[in-house]
Amino acid sequence: MDLGITTEQRNQAWAHWSSESKLIVVSQAQPQRTDKPVGVYCAVGNAWADWTSENGIGTGEHRYEVKLSPTARVLRIDPSTWPQVYRLFGCGGNLIPRIDWRAVSEKFDGVYVAVDRSENQTKTPLFWFQRMFDVETLCIWNKNSLELQ
C-alpha cells in the first residue's frame, strides 16, 4: 500500500498561521516519542482559523500560503493507511497510540493527518490519535519540502 499523500492532497491550498511577521522555515529533527511531530503546521485554506474562531482561541495574525514541493515525501495517516502506519511506526501508548516520529522522519519529510470525527471512528485507536489534531493537518519538518507563496 502506498502511504504517501494523493495528488489532490499535495495540491491543496495549505495555510500556516503565526504571530510572527516573517515565516522562517528550518528543518527539524524529530523526537522518538511525542504525541505530535515537530515542524511547520498547516491546514487547508481557512480551516484552522475557522476552528479557532469556533473554539474561542486565536490563530496569530499572519497567514502564510504554503505549497508542497513536487518532491516532498509526506506520510498519509487516514483510516485506509492507519493499520500499516501503526504497524511500521507505532511505539505504544496507553490510551493514545504513539508514533515514532524519528523513524517516520527517516523515510518522510512530513505527515498529513486526515481528521475523521464520524461516529464510526469513535473509540478506535485512530480516533484517539486523531483527537490530537483539530483539523485536517499537514506538518513538514524538512524545509526543502515547502515553498512559500
Side-chain angles (χ1 to χ4, degrees):
M1 169 183 280
D2 180 17
L3 297 177
I5 59 172
T6 66
T7 301
E8 181 182 346
Q9 292 159 343
R10 178 178 299 280
N11 295 329
Q12 293 271 24
W14 295 102
H16 172 78
W17 294 84
S18 176
S19 58
E20 301 296 323
S21 61
K22 180 172 170 84
L23 178 60
I24 299 172
V25 179
V26 297
S27 292
Q28 303 272 341
Q30 294 303 306
Q32 184 176 10
R33 278 187 78 148
T34 58
D35 292 340
K36 294 165 82 169
V38 177
V40 175
Y41 277 83
C42 303
V44 175
N46 285 324
W48 176 244
D50 294 344
W51 187 91
T52 59
S53 176
E54 291 168 9
N55 290 280
I57 51 180
T59 60
E61 60 270 21
H62 302 283
R63 182 181 192 267
Y64 299 94
E65 304 267 330
V66 176
K67 184 177 179 185
L68 280 170
S69 73
T71 58
R73 301 167 301 152
V74 180
L75 174 66
R76 176 173 42 103
I77 298 179
D78 64 21
S80 70
T81 64
W82 175 254
Q84 187 172 358
V85 167
Y86 197 72
R87 193 168 36 256
L88 292 170
F89 303 112
C91 63
N94 293 332
L95 180 59
I96 299 173
R98 303 282 192 249
I99 298 293
D100 181 344
W101 295 112
R102 186 176 301 144
V104 171
S105 70
E106 291 171 4
K107 296 180 186 289
F108 295 94
D109 301 316
V111 64
Y112 160 83
V113 179
V115 176
D116 180 0
R117 301 259 195 264
S118 64
E119 195 63 34
N120 65 344
Q121 290 296 320
T122 320
K123 307 280 193 271
T124 67
L126 176 59
F127 170 81
W128 293 111
F129 174 79
Q130 289 175 327
R131 287 187 56 87
M132 293 183 291
F133 299 88
D134 302 312
V135 296
E136 182 178 6
T137 301
L138 176 71
C139 177
I140 298 293
W141 49 78
N142 179 341
K143 69 178 184 174
N144 298 320
S145 296
L146 286 180
E147 299 172 2
L148 302 179
Q149 303 294 298

